[in-house]
Amino acid sequence: MIKKCVCLILALLFALPAAGCWSYRGLDEMTIVSGIALDKDKETGNYLLSFEFVDLSGSVKENGPESKIIESEGKTIFEAVRNAKKKLRNKLYFGHAQMLIINQDIAKEEDIGSIMDWFMRDGEVRETINMAISREQTAQDIFNAVGIDQKILSIKLRQILETDNKITASTLSMELYNAFETINTPGKDLALAALRTVQNNGVTICEADGIAVFKDRRLVGYLTPEEAKYYLFCIDSVQGGVFTFSHTGEGKDDVTLEINECQTKRSIENRDGQVGIHISVQMYTFLDEIMNPDVQLDDAMIIELEELASKKLRKDIGDLIKKVQSEYGADIFGFGDLIHRTDPQLWDQLKDRWDSLFRTLEVKVETDVHIINTGAICKS
């Protein structure tokens, strides 16, 4: 009898978890945060947080989901998060947050690791939230813009960043966990997407604007969207986009190639104690545009175009690397990390001097552009 009672009790205990979620909350009990903008009050030193949240008060079926902004303040980021409850019936829910946008002044003055700390520790915030730097006066300015094709700006911005390397290759998608791993990786500095607002048909909208460069966990400068493209080539992150150059090798660009496939390989060169990096880029493209009707597109011309494209790509990648070395000294390429992973003993010899070595590091760039489809036009 006792055994039967014990078995019955155990069966009931095992059945309880299947009856439902103990922590279940309905949509009417949650304020669903889609994005967070982080600013700071210069007078008080308090953090100013702006939360974009999904507005469920209206008819979602008729108008689609819309968003609203709630502001909060605190001495720490977590205190500012909790203080938002003073203005809301429900607590903020971060399980679906898409974007974390950081004021550029904060990024320049504070360790980005300390900014990420609460977001990494909190059990509700997903580590896949996307990070970016606002180039406007405040981070909230990004949320104050108007969404053209998506009313919830955080969702729109994340989609822009995640698909950019396939379309324009002009910025970077960096999730929280990747950023955290980067700042804790020897021989590697952080790079994040940069955002700004622009005018479009009389309306203020937001757009991606290149890459924010960090050195020792602090923002030190930016790469333009065009420079960002060559950075993506260096780290093997180009999956599409276009590449333009002049069919004569000088003057205005008049040829456009669509990138079909691109692969970048990197290796270490160590000759008699002289360490260098070798970058090899193989790019396969479609010829999409020649803005000069006099160009005769025969086999010889295609080979010439391939050579001109390779030369320009090689020069532009080299120029970008030299700029980052001389102006920022920030190893956003992860060359030090490459040495660390490939030859740990060599890295042990170089790591204490890497800051100075990186600025003079010789980087050889090899490029090979192939035109695999010309989209030939028949002229009658």
Side-chain angles (χ1 to χ4, degrees):
M1 184 66 180
I2 294 177
K3 289 184 178 180
K4 290 183 178 180
C5 291
V6 171
C7 290
L8 179 61
I9 292 171
L10 289 175
L12 290 172
L13 288 175
F14 284 123
L16 284 174
C21 298
W22 66 271
S23 61
Y24 172 80
R25 283 186 288 171
L27 288 177
D28 61 335
E29 298 175 307
M30 295 187 293
T31 299
I32 302 174
V33 176
S34 58
I36 307 135
L38 179 64
D39 292 297
K40 203 167 189 179
D41 188 315
K42 294 184 178 180
E43 294 184 2
T44 65
N46 287 348
Y47 290 101
L48 304 175
L49 268 62
S50 304
F51 305 98
E52 183 187 34
F53 66 93
V54 182
D55 181 16
L56 300 175
S57 62
S59 175
V60 176
K61 185 176 181 180
E62 293 180 4
N63 303 320
E66 298 188 4
S67 67
K68 288 185 178 179
I69 304 295
I70 183 74
E71 300 174 351
S72 184
E73 181 177 346
K75 295 184 292 295
T76 66
I77 292 175
F78 187 34
E79 184 180 59
V81 170
R82 281 298 174 90
N83 283 343
K85 182 64 178 68
K86 297 176 182 179
K87 304 175 182 179
L88 297 167
R89 177 170 63 92
N90 302 320
K91 284 177 59 178
L92 298 174
Y93 175 69
F94 293 94
H96 294 293
Q98 304 293 307
M99 290 295 306
L100 169 58
I101 303 172
I102 301 170
N103 181 297
Q104 63 177 340
D105 291 333
I106 294 177
K108 290 175 182 178
E109 298 166 3
E110 299 185 22
D111 186 323
I112 193 68
S114 65
I115 299 300
M116 287 192 272
D117 188 79
W118 177 79
F119 298 96
M120 287 294 297
R121 292 179 187 274
D122 188 78
E124 202 171 76
V125 180
R126 294 187 180 182
E127 294 179 353
T128 54
I129 188 172
N130 216 306
M131 297 180 64
I133 300 297
S134 169
R135 300 199 66 174
E136 300 302 322
Q137 186 172 356
T138 69
Q140 191 194 68
D141 287 340
I142 302 298
F143 285 158
N144 290 335
V146 174
I148 296 178
D149 51 355
Q150 170 62 259
K151 294 180 181 179
I152 302 177
L153 285 175
S154 297
I155 295 177
K156 168 191 172 179
L157 289 170
R158 185 184 182 110
Q159 291 170 343
I160 289 174
L161 298 182
E162 288 185 336
T163 60
D164 179 82
N165 66 340
K166 301 175 184 178
I167 309 299
T168 63
S170 62
T171 190
L172 178 71
S173 176
M174 178 67 72
E175 295 178 334
L176 176 64
Y177 77 95
N178 276 329
F180 183 79
E181 180 182 357
T182 297
I183 65 172
N184 289 287
T185 298
K188 193 174 185 180
D189 284 304
L190 181 64
L192 294 176
L195 303 173
R196 67 169 181 170
T197 61
V198 294
Q199 292 296 307
N200 182 75
N201 196 26
V203 176
T204 301
I205 65 169
C206 54
E207 71 173 15
D209 188 37
I211 287 176
V213 177
F214 284 73
K215 170 66 177 173
D216 296 328
R217 299 187 174 199
R218 284 174 169 77
L219 176 66
V220 293
Y222 294 96
L223 302 182
T224 67
E226 184 69 13
E227 292 169 336
K229 177 182 297 184
Y230 303 114
Y231 167 68
L232 295 179
F233 275 116
C234 289
I235 64 172
D236 193 27
S237 288
V238 174
Q239 297 182 20
V242 299
F243 181 75
T244 63
F245 62 99
S246 169
H247 83 280
T248 63
E250 54 187 37
K252 183 180 178 181
D253 289 357
D254 56 5
V255 181
T256 305
L257 302 179
E258 180 182 4
I259 302 170
N260 177 61
E261 183 182 348
C262 185
Q263 185 178 42
T264 300
K265 294 183 179 180
R266 311 191 306 176
S267 59
I268 303 169
E269 293 184 345
N270 188 4
R271 299 178 180 176
D272 301 325
Q274 189 70 28
V275 178
I277 300 293
H278 180 259
I279 296 177
S280 175
V281 180
Q282 292 278 341
M283 186 166 72
Y284 298 87
T285 67
F286 303 143
L287 179 59
D288 268 24
E289 184 179 32
I290 300 181
M291 301 183 71
N292 190 319
D294 297 327
V295 175
Q296 299 297 316
L297 199 59
D298 53 21
D299 290 344
M301 189 63 195
I302 292 174
I303 293 173
E304 185 177 346
L305 292 176
E306 290 176 334
E307 292 175 349
L308 287 169
S310 297
K311 181 179 179 181
K312 183 175 187 292
L313 180 60
R314 181 166 57 251
K315 178 182 183 303
D316 290 343
I317 291 175
D319 289 347
L320 181 275
I321 293 172
K322 290 177 181 177
K323 173 182 176 175
V324 174
Q325 286 177 306
S326 61
E327 292 188 19
Y328 303 135
D331 188 1
I332 57 175
F333 309 100
F335 293 149
D337 178 48
L338 176 64
I339 297 173
H340 180 217
R341 288 184 288 107
T342 305
D343 191 339
Q345 292 183 338
L346 177 61
W347 175 248
D348 286 340
Q349 300 172 21
L350 303 177
K351 62 182 181 181
D352 294 335
R353 299 177 289 131
W354 186 246
D355 277 355
S356 59
L357 289 175
F358 171 74
R359 291 182 178 273
T360 58
L361 182 70
E362 183 180 1
V363 182
K364 295 181 180 178
V365 181
E366 178 185 344
T367 56
D368 197 0
V369 177
H370 305 274
I371 298 175
I372 59 177
N373 191 313
T374 62
I377 300 174
C378 295
K379 298 180 181 180
S380 58

